[in-house]
Amino acid sequence: MKKRRIQGWICGLCALILLGGTAVGACAAEPTAILSPDTEVSSRFLELFREEKKNGEAPLSLIPGGGTFGIRIQTDGVLVEAVNARHLADKIQPGDRICTVDGEKISSVSDLSRALSGKSESVTVELSRGDRRFSLSLPFEQTDAGLKLGISVKDTVCGIGTVSFIDPETGRFGGLGHGISGGDGADLVPIRKADVTEVILGGVGKGEAGSPGELHGVLKNNVIGSVRINDECGVFGTFGTLPKELHEPMPVATREEVEAGPATILCTVKNGECAEYTVMLSEIDTSSRGTKSFTVKVTDPALIAMTGGIVRGMSGSPILQNGKLVGAVTHVTVADPTVGFGIFLRNMLDADKMPAAA
């Protein structure tokens, strides 16, 4: 079935708090790494997949999430956060990655500050954008704050999202249902290291037509896991410490089992407690391998009263239907915050390299 086009802009729902933005030319301290080491993943999912194929059934069961989590990313390289000089607007875009300055490799904001130290006329900067690498000669400009290149940069990205699924035996999890990018239309953020933290929610900015809402919160300093993959279909990692309250495992639906009609989502928007809310699914596209596999419309009066519908930070909220875990919420339409999109959970498992039946 083809998807119906929904009018209006569509927003991803990871509530990003972009940190580490630094005016180039100013001295910047390197962020302290508090990240946990990568965790080896067991072969349990391969064994489940083999059993699934052998029996012709779908024994794969995972715990639906619904709780919020924080992610603190140290990027693999320095990202352009903003272009402040008009003469650079058609040359550099937010999300471009700075690779070298005058041939010197750049891995962090402090590397960039050192590379620029003592230079006052221009530098040759090599940048990457998608599969393209290109070089520019950037002149310094004299400002009230000193010499500047006319761009702001960052090497840290923080945000809030919702856990979609957890495996209780390995601690492996997936969330968001879409990737984290360096800006609107920018490439996915390349991860050097990434922490998972708990979140203290501070309220909800209610969404309305033309203005998507957002979960407000603060990332705790405690590290409860790490993220190893930032993919178009979500972020994936391992919990070192499982969340305190977990739902019972549920079988994972195949794409063909997802139906147009009533379903529920699990999300945390009030008092830090996960709750279940009603939605309607429609426009199911079983051929979808991306983040907009079907339409999700919030019908629950309590959720609409609190949030206006779908808000940033709810990205990754698991979707349940007919006793199975079928997918996760990914986007909201700006024109109508009660309407958004969902991704098949199978698409997330594929992105996480978890073998799963089609």
Tab-separated table of all heavy atoms in Angstrom, residues 11 41 43 83 100 159 190 193 212 234 250 266 288-289:
chain	number	residue	atom	x	y	z
A	11	CYS	N	9.141	16.758	11.265
A	11	CYS	CA	10.301	16.901	12.142
A	11	CYS	C	10.655	15.581	12.793
A	11	CYS	O	9.790	14.848	13.236
A	11	CYS	CB	10.026	17.910	13.260
A	11	CYS	SG	9.910	19.602	12.689
A	41	VAL	N	28.779	-7.816	22.171
A	41	VAL	CA	27.409	-8.287	22.069
A	41	VAL	C	27.416	-9.787	21.844
A	41	VAL	O	28.199	-10.304	21.049
A	41	VAL	CB	26.683	-7.580	20.903
A	41	VAL	CG1	25.272	-8.112	20.756
A	41	VAL	CG2	26.654	-6.084	21.140
A	43	SER	N	26.034	-13.692	20.846
A	43	SER	CA	25.514	-14.255	19.609
A	43	SER	C	24.065	-14.694	19.764
A	43	SER	O	23.529	-15.406	18.931
A	43	SER	CB	26.356	-15.464	19.189
A	43	SER	OG	26.308	-16.460	20.195
A	83	VAL	N	27.155	29.010	10.370
A	83	VAL	CA	27.970	29.843	9.483
A	83	VAL	C	27.582	31.287	9.751
A	83	VAL	O	26.456	31.703	9.491
A	83	VAL	CB	27.745	29.481	8.002
A	83	VAL	CG1	28.593	30.363	7.096
A	83	VAL	CG2	28.056	28.005	7.758
A	100	THR	N	40.947	18.697	8.281
A	100	THR	CA	42.315	19.192	8.494
A	100	THR	C	42.339	20.712	8.397
A	100	THR	O	41.469	21.329	7.764
A	100	THR	CB	43.309	18.623	7.451
A	100	THR	OG1	42.978	19.125	6.146
A	100	THR	CG2	43.276	17.095	7.428
A	159	GLY	N	21.458	14.972	23.707
A	159	GLY	CA	20.043	14.981	23.417
A	159	GLY	C	19.262	14.017	24.285
A	159	GLY	O	19.833	13.281	25.096
A	190	PRO	N	28.976	11.593	13.090
A	190	PRO	CA	29.897	10.468	13.266
A	190	PRO	C	30.308	10.346	14.731
A	190	PRO	O	30.733	11.327	15.349
A	190	PRO	CB	31.092	10.839	12.382
A	190	PRO	CG	31.072	12.334	12.325
A	190	PRO	CD	29.626	12.746	12.444
A	193	LYS	N	32.848	8.538	20.530
A	193	LYS	CA	32.416	7.867	21.751
A	193	LYS	C	31.059	8.447	22.133
A	193	LYS	O	30.760	9.599	21.830
A	193	LYS	CB	33.413	8.071	22.903
A	193	LYS	CG	34.730	7.348	22.712
A	193	LYS	CD	35.628	7.574	23.924
A	193	LYS	CE	36.955	6.841	23.766
A	193	LYS	NZ	37.852	7.079	24.939
A	212	PRO	N	6.112	22.402	16.724
A	212	PRO	CA	6.214	21.119	17.440
A	212	PRO	C	6.611	21.324	18.894
A	212	PRO	O	7.367	22.245	19.224
A	212	PRO	CB	7.324	20.380	16.670
A	212	PRO	CG	7.366	21.037	15.335
A	212	PRO	CD	7.019	22.473	15.571
A	234	GLY	N	17.943	4.722	13.676
A	234	GLY	CA	17.995	4.798	15.131
A	234	GLY	C	19.398	4.780	15.677
A	234	GLY	O	20.379	4.702	14.931
A	250	MET	N	8.022	-9.046	24.770
A	250	MET	CA	6.929	-9.272	23.832
A	250	MET	C	7.497	-9.789	22.513
A	250	MET	O	8.612	-9.412	22.134
A	250	MET	CB	6.153	-7.979	23.567
A	250	MET	CG	5.508	-7.353	24.762
A	250	MET	SD	4.624	-5.825	24.330
A	250	MET	CE	3.306	-6.477	23.306
A	266	LEU	N	4.118	3.451	24.196
A	266	LEU	CA	4.649	3.622	25.539
A	266	LEU	C	5.593	4.822	25.526
A	266	LEU	O	6.513	4.881	24.704
A	266	LEU	CB	5.411	2.371	25.983
A	266	LEU	CG	4.600	1.086	26.165
A	266	LEU	CD1	5.545	-0.099	26.411
A	266	LEU	CD2	3.622	1.232	27.330
A	288	SER	N	8.594	-0.638	3.074
A	288	SER	CA	9.453	0.383	3.665
A	288	SER	C	10.616	-0.248	4.433
A	288	SER	O	10.426	-1.186	5.208
A	288	SER	CB	8.648	1.262	4.623
A	288	SER	OG	9.498	2.065	5.426
A	289	ARG	N	11.790	0.294	4.223
A	289	ARG	CA	12.963	-0.077	5.014
A	289	ARG	C	13.555	1.152	5.696
A	289	ARG	O	14.670	1.112	6.209
A	289	ARG	CB	14.025	-0.754	4.127
A	289	ARG	CG	13.565	-2.075	3.494
A	289	ARG	CD	13.236	-3.099	4.557
A	289	ARG	NE	12.867	-4.398	3.982
A	289	ARG	CZ	11.624	-4.771	3.692
A	289	ARG	NH1	10.615	-3.924	3.885
A	289	ARG	NH2	11.373	-5.962	3.191
